[in-house]
Structure formats: structure tokens, C-alpha cells
Amino acid sequence: MQAASQLAASAKPTDGQHKAALPHEAALHYPLDEQLPAPGGVIELAPGVLWVRMSLPFALNHINLWLLRDQVDGLDGWTLVDCGISDDATRSHWEQIFAHHLQGLPVLRVVVTHMHPDHIGLAHWLCQRWSTAQRDCRLWISHTDWSVARFAVRSTTGFGGEATARFFALHGLTDPEMLDQVRKRTSYYSSMVPQVPDSYRRLLHGHSLHVNGLAWRCVVGYGHAPEHISLHCEALGLLISGDMVLPRISTNVSVIEAEPEGNPLRLFLDSLEALRALPADTLVLPSHGKPFVGLHTRIQQLSEHHEARFDDVLQACAQQPGSAAEMLPVLFKRELDLHQTTFALGEAIAHMHALAERGQLLAQPGADGVLRWRTALQRHQAQRNPTVGRPQVERLQAKKSGR
Ligand SMILES: [Zn+2]
């Protein structure tokens, strides 16, 4: 989450524990109904597959984690998937689970789907907690997410600081108080992820993790995190989807200042389409919300959701060229506080970039330093009659590029 899930949390309906179902959820099936694991407790979903739920101090108030009964190098124990953030409550709930629900067996390895704080936060503590003089309890993660997490604990990139503030200003965030908050947010990641293990074992798309004799195939997903790994067990009909497919909220997909021209939304939508290859009756174990059946339905809903937002943005920009910040009321039809706004903005930029790559929007740098977007159609009209409504900045650009 954090980067991600909190964004999602802030910008979307709260995924609370006892909220009424949203209309789109009627098309999904929750086989466990309202059952949720108690704090420090577990629910067994399939033989040797346990569901753990930890609290998060955000609007998105929980994360789901998984324990898989395993045997590694002849040793009986457990593989743990995702960790929770680094705080006392999460550590203490893990200790309760270790004491009462692991049949006295150790955790043998820690798998992390991606580098966001709610997923990797306690990885360092867990690996240390379960390593012995004879055997390392290893972190298993994609190479990219391990590297980016190592970088993020030492840096503010993507989460705040001066560069983020400049990037947001370019995209139309002009409120000085808000920009000041962004500038001051310099220990956002490290407050929830104090350390990342020094070594790891690489998860790679298409490789299988063998858990207690069963193959869990790694499926890469892009757009939400650098190299997100979901795990599909064909034999059990289970998909640990991480944040790539969530039943209630839509996954946050943001452009960040470290990759300012990125198009993560196209990557995300392409990754979702690839998941359609999995069986429709797969039980999806998401990081937020409840386990559900309806993978193909949910992928269709998410795809339609983003297409509808694309239409909204195009309509708004056809009326008047707008910055990403000016699209916030178009994309998020409710009040956003300062904190939520900064997260929603990354997502608004992602929509603009996806439309630009499709040739439907054009960037129009303003003399005020703000990047605005207009529909490609407007540009054609302007070119037919170059003296009407064509800002000076664009004439200058045309000159530079020799048009
Ligand atoms: Zn995430």
C-alpha cells in the first residue's frame, strides 16, 4: 500500500471491515461471506493455506497476508507471503500467530509481492526473527522491487521532498500549503520500512515456487509497483493477487517524478488482461478486501472503470485544456484532503499519459510553468486555422521542431 494502497485508499471508497457492498461487488462471489481473521488469528482457506489480516493506520485500514504450509530442504515449516508495516501492533500480532497457529513449526522463507510498505515493511524483522545459525530465513522478491525498496529506505523519491513538489507543481498543484506538505514528507517510506534485507532470492515471471510439493507460478504485473509478483497455484485454484486485482477498490496506478514520462496505466491494464488467461473460477486472494471468485468479471470491471475515466478526461479537456490537477474533480467525485490529493494527482497524471500515448491528448506547456492537456482533435482544428486560439508557446514549439 502505502505508496500504493494508501493512495488507493485515499482516492477510493474506504475498504472498511463492515462497509455495505458496492454495486460492482454484486457480480463477485465472496465464498467466506463476512468472515474475517481476528487480529492475531488465522482462517484456513485450503489445506495448508492460512489467511492473516493486519491493521493499517490509514483509510485503507487492513492488509491480507498469507501463510503456506511448506517443506524446504527437508525442513517442515511455513512460507509467509507479505509482511505488514513495521509497527508494534503488527509485530505483536505476528508473535501471537507464531505461538498459536504454526503447529510449533518455523517460518522458512518470506515472500513479498512488491516493495510497498504494507507488504515489505516487516520483511527485515521477519527474516531476522526466523534465521538461525544453521539456516537463513530468506526474503524472496523480484529483483526490481528489492532494488527499489533498498533505494527507497534511503531516499524520498516517489513519496515526497523537493523533486516531488516540483513535479506536482508542473502538473498544476499550486496550493502553497499542499506543496509545503509534500516537501516535508521526506521519511514517509522509511517510517514504515526501517530496513530491507541485505540479500534476497529472486522471483521471476514464469518461474514456479514449490511449496509443499505444489507449484505456485509467478505472474509479473506492472503499473502498480516496479515488478509486482502474483502467485498462481493451479492445483489449488488459488491466486495470491497482491495489489494487482482488488475486489472493492481499484489499484492505485501513479506516475512518479523519478519516471516523469512513464505510462504505468497502460502497463497496468496490459498486465490485467494477461491475468484473463487464468481460470475464471480461481479463488483470488487479494491484499485488500476479501477472497473472491470472479477474476474475469473483476478484470472487465476495472478495464471499463478506466475507460470511463478516460472518456471523462477527454470530455473535460475538449471543453478546455486542463492540467492533471484540474482533472481531480473529474476523476475523483468527492472531496480530497491535502494528503489524498497528492496521491490522487499521480493517478490523474497516469490517465493523461495513457491518453497521450493513444494519441488522444496533447501536452501543452503553459507560460505559467503548468502542463495542460488538450484533445488531439483541438490541435487539428488549431492547425487548420493557426491564428485562432493557438497559444504562443505552441507556435514557439512548432518553430523549434521545424513544423
Ligand atoms: Zn501496493
Side-chain angles (χ1 to χ4, degrees):
M1 180 214 73
Q2 236 353 34
S5 318
Q6 168 153 20
L7 323 200
S10 53
K12 306 289 163 47
T14 303
D15 194 10
Q17 298 208 346
H18 299 291
K19 294 278 157 58
L22 297 173
H24 74 256
E25 293 182 282
L28 307 176
H29 173 50
Y30 291 116
L32 285 94
D33 287 324
E34 296 301 314
Q35 283 184 73
L36 299 172
V42 303
I43 288 180
E44 185 167 47
L45 296 169
V49 178
L50 306 184
W51 174 19
V52 171
R53 200 161 156 112
M54 295 290 186
S55 296
L56 294 175
F58 315 113
L60 184 64
N61 61 10
H62 70 276
I63 178 168
N64 299 319
L65 315 167
W66 318 99
L67 279 162
L68 310 176
R69 181 69 168 79
D70 205 354
Q71 193 181 61
V72 180
D73 305 330
L75 266 181
D76 280 316
W78 295 86
T79 283
L80 186 152
V81 184
D82 284 339
C83 307
I85 61 167
S86 177
D87 68 9
D88 291 341
T90 311
R91 271 187 292 267
S92 121
H93 286 141
W94 270 129
E95 289 296 353
Q96 282 178 46
I97 289 167
F98 298 154
H100 303 293
H101 299 290
L102 300 195
Q103 302 155 13
L105 296 172
V107 173
L108 300 172
R109 54 182 165 179
V110 173
V111 173
V112 165
T113 56
H114 65 293
M115 50 78 66
H116 292 150
D118 46 344
H119 299 261
I120 201 172
L122 275 179
H124 185 266
W125 176 77
L126 287 162
C127 289
Q128 269 194 346
R129 166 82 175 70
W130 288 104
S131 286
T132 63
Q134 291 75 39
R135 192 181 177 284
D136 285 323
C137 174
R138 185 74 68 214
L139 167 67
W140 294 54
I141 186 172
S142 71
H143 167 72
T144 317
D145 278 60
W146 179 79
S147 306
V148 176
R150 295 276 292 181
F151 178 69
V153 292
R154 295 170 176 78
S155 149
T156 65
T157 300
F159 303 95
E162 186 57 45
T164 310
R166 272 202 305 276
F167 181 63
F168 284 173
L170 170 70
H171 285 283
L173 192 75
T174 50
D175 184 307
E177 193 190 333
M178 225 178 263
L179 287 173
D180 205 40
Q181 260 206 1
V182 173
R183 267 185 213 104
K184 285 180 184 153
R185 197 168 60 190
T186 52
S187 56
Y188 188 67
Y189 191 84
S190 58
S191 68
M192 291 170 283
V193 189
Q195 286 186 75
V196 173
D198 293 332
S199 51
Y200 70 104
R201 181 126 165 204
R202 185 175 191 174
L203 294 177
L204 206 54
H205 176 69
H207 283 190
S208 285
L209 199 67
H210 293 277
V211 181
N212 219 13
L214 295 179
W216 288 75
R217 192 170 55 86
C218 297
V219 184
V220 74
Y222 300 106
H224 172 67
E227 191 186 353
H228 181 295
I229 299 287
S230 303
L231 293 164
H232 177 237
C233 182
E234 194 177 3
L236 294 174
L238 297 178
L239 173 70
I240 294 179
S241 65
D243 279 349
M244 287 301 293
V245 188
L246 304 174
R248 187 177 173 90
I249 58 175
S250 66
T251 300
N252 177 269
V253 177
S254 278
V255 178
I256 60 168
E257 84 281 0
E259 195 192 349
E261 292 92 20
N263 184 0
L265 191 45
R266 175 177 50 77
L267 297 178
F268 178 74
L269 292 171
D270 288 351
S271 299
L272 272 188
E273 285 306 315
L275 287 173
R276 282 190 204 259
L278 301 185
D281 61 356
T282 301
L283 177 62
V284 183
L285 312 185
S287 292
H288 311 286
K290 294 173 291 185
F292 71 98
V293 178
L295 175 64
H296 294 191
T297 303
R298 187 61 184 136
I299 290 170
Q300 188 62 29
Q301 288 175 349
L302 289 165
S303 159
E304 286 169 7
H305 164 84
H306 286 291
E307 288 303 326
R309 298 292 79 73
F310 287 145
D311 287 346
D312 293 344
V313 166
L314 284 173
Q315 237 178 45
C317 292
Q319 280 167 15
Q320 190 179 354
S323 66
E326 284 162 342
M327 292 306 123
L328 291 179
V330 174
L331 291 168
F332 306 97
K333 295 176 172 65
R334 67 189 183 85
E335 279 289 300
L336 301 171
D337 64 23
L338 294 185
H339 185 66
Q340 291 169 331
T341 298
T342 61
F343 288 124
L345 187 56
E347 203 160 346
I349 301 166
H351 282 84
M352 313 313 265
H353 285 192
L355 285 166
E357 194 179 87
R358 288 179 179 191
Q360 291 175 283
L361 279 188
L362 291 163
Q364 180 183 304
D368 58 357
V370 172
L371 197 63
R372 291 185 178 77
W373 301 85
R374 58 184 183 147
T375 55
L377 181 63
Q378 286 172 310
R379 185 184 186 88
H380 295 145
Q381 283 166 344
Q383 279 172 341
R384 275 200 294 277
N385 188 354
T387 57
V388 177
R390 195 171 176 194
Q392 190 172 2
V393 61
E394 202 200 358
R395 283 203 295 277
L396 287 172
Q397 279 195 320
K399 218 171 163 182
K400 262 194 251 164
S401 59
R403 280 180 286 137

